[in-house]
Amino acid sequence: MAKQRNTILVLGEGPTEFYYLKSLSDVYKGLTIKPDYPKHTNLQELDAKIEEGVRMGYRYIFCVIDMDNKGKDPARSQYLKLKRKYSKPVNKPRLGIYSEVFFFETHLCTELFFLYYFAYTSRSYNDQDSLLKDLNSYCEYIKTEDFFKKCKGLHSYMERHGGKLVQAIENSNRSLVEKEKDNRNYTYSELGKMFEQFENIEK
């Protein structure tokens, strides 16, 4: 029988999410970040990680999703299938398992949320390079593991350069309101919602 863990397991798709979420461990102390060694993950591997988290008895499993590579099939269909699979809690009372799986998307990628630390935008980005150029107007940012290690924590690095997590959350939520109002499918982040759920669970 699995031992129920009331902490949150957070799964990212690559090194960016891993290093960023690890940098928040002092802000959100109830997080478990997997995997321990960051690498790029495809949807099949993400599904396997979710299943492992369920077996380990995590009550909440949060998946951080970049949408830049899920706009077309087969990736789009695979992603929607994965979301449908976990649209309801995994409930196995005999095994002591009850897990809720949540997906938090950002378009194009997690770096939009980093930009939201500094400013709001609803600009349509054709590629990551144009988004990273805007982010670099506020602080140097290089999308490499070497940079992630040298900056001594992505969260504190951005705050040292004048960004604020609370502002990123506000801008993220604003992007969702405008996304729904304008019926757009670009330049939005659900990470603000994720952090609000962190806070609600920790209370």
Side-chain angles (χ1 to χ4, degrees):
M1 180 176 290
K3 181 180 179 181
Q4 186 72 57
R5 301 165 182 254
N6 287 319
T7 54
I8 304 166
L9 172 63
V10 186
L11 301 174
E13 289 189 279
T16 304
E17 292 78 22
F18 173 85
Y19 283 105
Y20 175 58
L21 291 164
K22 278 291 188 185
S23 75
L24 287 163
S25 59
D26 289 339
V27 181
Y28 299 103
K29 299 183 184 300
L31 303 184
T32 299
I33 313 298
K34 293 286 185 178
D36 293 327
Y37 181 78
K39 66 174 184 176
H40 290 287
T41 300
N42 61 39
L43 290 172
Q44 290 78 16
E45 291 169 332
L46 179 61
D47 191 10
K49 291 178 187 176
I50 295 171
E51 290 180 346
E52 180 185 12
V54 170
R55 288 194 302 271
M56 292 176 68
Y58 282 95
R59 174 67 174 78
Y60 305 98
I61 300 174
F62 288 177
C63 304
V64 180
I65 304 294
D66 283 352
M67 295 302 290
D68 58 343
N69 58 358
K70 297 175 181 65
K72 298 179 181 179
D73 286 330
R76 175 171 54 191
S77 296
Q78 292 170 353
Y79 175 56
L80 293 175
K81 181 179 179 181
L82 184 64
K83 288 181 72 175
R84 286 194 298 270
K85 179 178 179 179
Y86 295 106
S87 61
K88 295 181 180 179
V90 180
N91 188 12
K92 300 179 180 180
R94 291 183 179 180
L95 299 177
I97 288 174
Y98 186 89
S99 296
E100 292 183 82
V101 181
F102 299 90
F103 296 85
F104 297 94
E105 304 170 357
T106 299
H107 186 280
L108 287 166
C109 52
T110 300
E111 278 78 12
L112 176 67
F113 190 75
F114 299 166
L115 178 57
Y116 282 165
Y117 265 72
F118 303 96
Y120 179 75
T121 184
S122 59
R123 172 187 172 188
S124 178
Y125 292 98
N126 294 322
D127 52 48
Q128 284 196 27
D129 287 344
S130 55
L131 171 57
L132 295 182
K133 182 178 180 180
D134 281 357
L135 178 56
N136 270 276
S137 69
Y138 293 96
C139 67
E140 182 183 27
Y141 178 88
I142 306 170
K143 193 168 184 172
T144 65
E145 285 195 55
D146 187 54
F147 172 78
F148 297 155
K149 292 174 182 177
K150 286 183 177 179
C151 74
K152 299 180 180 179
L154 282 168
H155 165 67
S156 60
Y157 174 78
M158 287 182 287
E159 293 218 325
R160 289 197 304 272
H161 285 80
K164 296 294 180 185
L165 176 59
V166 63
Q167 180 169 300
I169 292 171
E170 290 173 357
N171 286 333
S172 170
N173 291 338
R174 177 182 170 185
S175 76
L176 298 181
V177 172
E178 291 188 4
K179 173 180 178 287
E180 183 175 353
K181 179 183 176 182
D182 300 336
N183 195 29
R184 74 170 192 246
N185 62 354
Y186 60 85
T187 317
Y188 66 89
S189 178
E190 296 178 336
L191 292 185
K193 287 173 56 180
M194 183 180 76
F195 290 122
E196 289 176 345
Q197 286 208 39
F198 285 172
E199 292 170 2
N200 291 333
I201 290 168
E202 286 186 335
K203 290 178 181 178

